[in-house]
Amino acid sequence: MRGHEEVWIKLDFRYYDLAGETASQRIDTLFPEWGTGNEVVAVFSPHDDDAILGVGHLIQAVSTAGGVPYVFIYCKGDAGYSTAKEKDKIVKMRLEESKSAYQVLGVDESHIIRFNYPDFSVRQHMGRVRTSGDDGTFSQTIRALRKIRVTRLVLPNTYREHADHEAVGDIGLFDGPQVGDKILADWGEPSPISTFLQYTVWANFGPEDALISGRNLQIRANRALTAPAEAEEVVATALDEFNSQRQIIHDLLDARKARRYGTRYLELYKAIDPRPRLEFRPYIELLASIDRVVV
């Protein structure tokens, strides 16, 4: 609802680099070298409500900071019915509910991109060409991201959360970098993505980054955002539009109480490098050390 626009434009967001233990009121903490006016942030949402549950505050923060949020919804919601009588109409119900929900968050309807894959089935549609000969997720993802000239990508957790979440997260990690590569020239002009940020809906992040960095393994996220209560009210209003999902997401909604930090609310993310470069210098130094001993 555009009536919320005046609310979230004024909201006070605070950003944290958990690895560096610093805080700021600038979104650059999450998206380095943020440039107001030309930033396009695509949020990959396995199911229509996941982006709201996981990054409802961040979506508002992006708009507040002058960026343009897009939401890519991969699944059509055909398994999300709680009663048998809803089975044949659940997809249409969720389509209308999600339109209303993202409007509450300030996301333009034209900025909601849908791929309509069956629930619990994204992984079998991955790749450029499927075994059936049909186009896979790669084609739709690359074309859509190039078309909107994406600059930042926010993708779901790939660690033990949900089959569709892990698949869509992998699409972001492996297809995302290809958006800026000079390949498939007829699919649109390459558009390099500057930042890859993972979010979680309910599961913990994987321990790899914390292990490598030597952090406490209970601190697996490396970035965070806190938002005022008004931002959480906007998220709650958006989620309230999903009438068909009340029984399914009831526990997730109740769990949001754990996000409270004083009068504010917390979202966690993990900044990730999808293409970590192999650094030869440590190996060269080790070889030199070995050779000195051997000689």
Side-chain angles (χ1 to χ4, degrees):
M1 302 175 189
R2 283 304 184 190
H4 287 276
E5 186 167 352
E6 293 183 1
V7 176
W8 52 254
I9 285 293
K10 301 174 184 177
L11 293 180
D12 166 37
F13 296 99
R14 191 165 178 81
Y15 307 95
Y16 298 81
D17 178 342
L18 302 180
E21 298 186 9
T22 62
S24 170
Q25 289 185 300
R26 294 178 58 85
I27 201 170
D28 302 63
T29 302
L30 302 185
F31 301 123
E33 299 180 0
W34 177 266
T36 304
N38 60 353
E39 294 284 0
V40 176
V41 180
V43 179
F44 281 11
S45 187
H47 310 100
D48 44 20
D49 52 0
D50 289 323
I52 303 174
L53 287 163
V55 289
H57 296 150
L58 180 59
I59 290 173
Q60 297 176 70
V62 165
S63 297
T64 299
V68 179
Y70 277 77
V71 178
F72 284 44
I73 300 173
Y74 276 79
C75 294
K76 59 184 177 181
D78 56 325
Y81 54 91
S82 298
T83 63
K85 66 180 181 180
E86 293 179 336
K87 180 177 181 179
D88 294 332
K89 56 184 179 181
I90 189 63
V91 173
K92 183 177 180 180
M93 290 172 64
R94 293 187 67 161
L95 173 65
E96 295 304 319
E97 289 169 353
S98 60
K99 285 181 182 178
S100 299
Y102 284 104
Q103 188 178 26
V104 170
L105 283 181
V107 179
D108 191 281
E109 184 178 337
S110 65
H111 294 175
I112 302 173
I113 312 299
R114 300 176 183 277
F115 296 137
N116 295 315
Y117 294 110
D119 288 2
F120 301 99
S121 303
V122 176
R123 191 165 295 281
Q124 69 193 56
H125 290 84
M126 289 173 64
R128 187 173 72 87
V129 180
R130 299 170 59 201
T131 54
S132 64
D134 297 331
D135 284 345
T137 57
F138 185 84
S139 172
Q140 293 202 71
T141 299
I142 300 296
R143 292 174 190 270
L145 288 174
R146 285 182 174 177
K147 182 177 181 180
I148 66 173
R149 308 296 297 165
V150 64
T151 59
R152 318 282 177 162
L153 183 57
V154 183
L155 50 117
N157 185 17
T158 54
Y159 186 75
R160 301 182 185 178
E161 186 156 309
H162 183 293
D164 289 332
H165 291 219
E166 292 184 14
V168 173
D170 283 342
I171 290 170
L173 288 174
F174 293 102
D175 295 358
Q178 312 284 345
V179 176
D181 288 347
K182 294 186 180 300
I183 59 171
L184 301 162
D186 56 331
W187 286 11
E189 184 179 349
S191 178
I193 299 174
S194 301
T195 305
F196 291 77
L197 204 64
Q198 286 185 316
Y199 71 91
T200 178
V201 174
W202 58 265
N204 201 355
F205 292 104
E208 181 182 14
D209 183 72
L211 284 167
I212 292 173
S213 302
R215 294 198 310 276
N216 181 340
L217 288 182
Q218 290 185 305
I219 308 296
R220 297 187 180 186
N222 57 26
R223 299 291 187 275
L225 172 157
T226 62
E230 293 90 341
E232 179 65 10
E233 291 171 7
V234 173
V235 171
T237 301
L239 290 171
D240 198 47
E241 295 293 331
F242 287 101
N243 293 312
S244 69
Q245 302 302 292
R246 291 189 189 281
Q247 295 182 54
I248 297 173
I249 65 174
H250 177 269
D251 291 343
L252 293 176
L253 294 176
D254 191 57
R256 293 190 70 84
K257 298 173 184 176
R259 294 173 178 262
R260 188 164 180 173
Y261 170 56
T263 60
R264 302 174 69 79
Y265 288 81
L266 173 65
E267 279 183 354
L268 297 171
Y269 323 102
K270 186 166 71 172
I272 190 166
D273 181 358
R275 282 181 173 173
R277 295 284 183 178
L278 174 59
E279 175 56 61
F280 284 93
R281 175 53 54 186
Y283 294 95
I284 291 173
E285 292 175 353
L286 177 59
L287 290 179
S289 176
I290 294 172
D291 286 340
R292 282 195 298 270
V293 173
V294 172
V295 172

